[in-house]
Amino acid sequence: MTTVHVRLALDKSSPGEALEIILRGEETRRNVEILLRTLGQTSDCQPLGEDAIADYRMTLVKS
């Protein structure tokens, strides 16, 4: 479902708009990266600390 939410957020955003995506789990991160590559988007993904609620923070600017 995460990829669906990311796709909807991308569809609603304007070119040049920055998005921040918070992800839980390695599989979720991989699936979202595949989606973004398929859509021609590039992102920066950073792991969060052990005390964080989520595992990764992904940022991108919609092209």
Side-chain angles (χ1 to χ4, degrees):
M1 282 305 287
T2 303
T3 54
V4 173
H5 292 289
V6 170
R7 178 64 190 258
L8 289 172
L10 278 170
D11 289 346
K12 291 179 182 180
S13 58
S14 302
E17 187 173 342
L19 297 172
E20 180 179 79
I21 304 163
I22 305 299
L23 302 168
R24 295 188 79 182
E26 182 68 25
E27 183 178 359
T28 302
R29 181 194 60 81
R30 282 193 310 266
N31 290 341
V32 170
E33 286 181 339
I34 291 168
L35 170 69
L36 293 176
R37 274 196 308 272
T38 301
L39 297 174
Q41 301 290 322
T42 57
S43 66
D44 179 41
C45 187
Q46 299 295 320
L48 299 175
E50 290 182 19
D51 295 335
I53 293 173
D55 298 320
Y56 299 96
R57 175 182 292 126
M58 187 176 286
T59 57
L60 66 111
V61 175
K62 183 176 178 182
S63 55

